[in-house]
Amino acid sequence: KEPATAGNCVTRGALAYTNEMYPGAYLAGEGTAYVSVGGDAIVGNSAKDMPEDATDADMAYAVRGEGNAQRVAYTSYEAVCGEGEVTGDGVVPLAWSELPGARHVALEGVLHSINEAGTTIPTDRWYGADGVVDRWLPAVLEEAGIVNKKGVAGLGDLAKMFQFAQQ
């Protein structure tokens, strides 16, 4: 999705171009499976007040004059979608991770990157963390036809999994 006003798009038109040229799950009709994954960890808030349950990231933002994680998320969300008071992974609004026609996995508590956004504070709540990968990878394997909904792979599926991993 692109913001309602093109002048606010931080991708400088890349979202609009992609949506126009390759809308939604563009290749689904050709057998390509899609899974979109989004984090639902922070609701943006424009207030700079320190939350009662302040984290190290909140303290780092406060020292830099940015307020707190919710304020930083608000600024990022506003730049992406035109609204700051939405939920997301601290950088991308959750609704902006939902590709039309794709299976969507919303991950509660998951952040955008390996560090708290805009800091060097590491986190184990990002998409690539071991415990988080375990929450979205099964959906990818199911959509790729590698395992069924029970997580069971047949002998033929194991060969498929090997081919998939080699790509």
Side-chain angles (χ1 to χ4, degrees), residues 100-164:
R103 178 175 177 178
H104 184 69
V105 179
L107 300 170
E108 187 176 327
V110 173
L111 299 172
H112 188 80
S113 63
I114 195 167
N115 293 327
E116 297 279 346
T119 75
T120 58
I121 301 169
T123 180
D124 61 357
R125 301 188 307 144
W126 72 291
Y127 298 107
D130 288 344
V132 177
V133 170
D134 292 341
R135 293 167 54 194
W136 59 258
L137 184 58
V140 172
L141 295 176
E142 286 174 22
E143 291 301 314
I146 295 170
V147 298
N148 63 29
K149 291 189 185 287
K150 294 180 181 177
V152 178
L155 203 47
D157 294 329
L158 292 176
K160 232 189 214 182
M161 190 181 311
F162 181 73
Q163 288 174 334
F164 182 76

Side-chain angles (χ1 to χ4, degrees), residues 13-49:
L15 288 174
Y17 176 82
T18 302
N19 284 336
E20 182 180 332
M21 300 303 293
Y22 310 101
Y26 184 74
L27 296 173
E30 296 179 27
T32 299
Y34 289 80
V35 176
S36 61
V37 179
D40 186 1
I42 302 174
V43 176
N45 186 325
S46 62
K48 284 189 172 185
D49 303 335

Side-chain angles (χ1 to χ4, degrees), residues 6-18:
N8 291 344
C9 185
V10 295
T11 68
R12 298 184 178 155
L15 288 174
Y17 176 82
T18 302

Side-chain angles (χ1 to χ4, degrees), residues 61-118:
Y61 297 132
V63 168
R64 296 190 322 214
E66 296 172 291
N68 55 55
Q70 292 170 322
R71 169 85 173 146
V72 171
Y74 178 94
T75 302
S76 181
Y77 300 160
E78 190 174 45
V80 173
C81 74
E83 296 179 49
E85 293 182 357
V86 296
T87 189
D89 64 11
V91 176
V92 176
L94 180 61
W96 258 241
S97 70
E98 297 171 351
L99 181 68
R103 178 175 177 178
H104 184 69
V105 179
L107 300 170
E108 187 176 327
V110 173
L111 299 172
H112 188 80
S113 63
I114 195 167
N115 293 327
E116 297 279 346

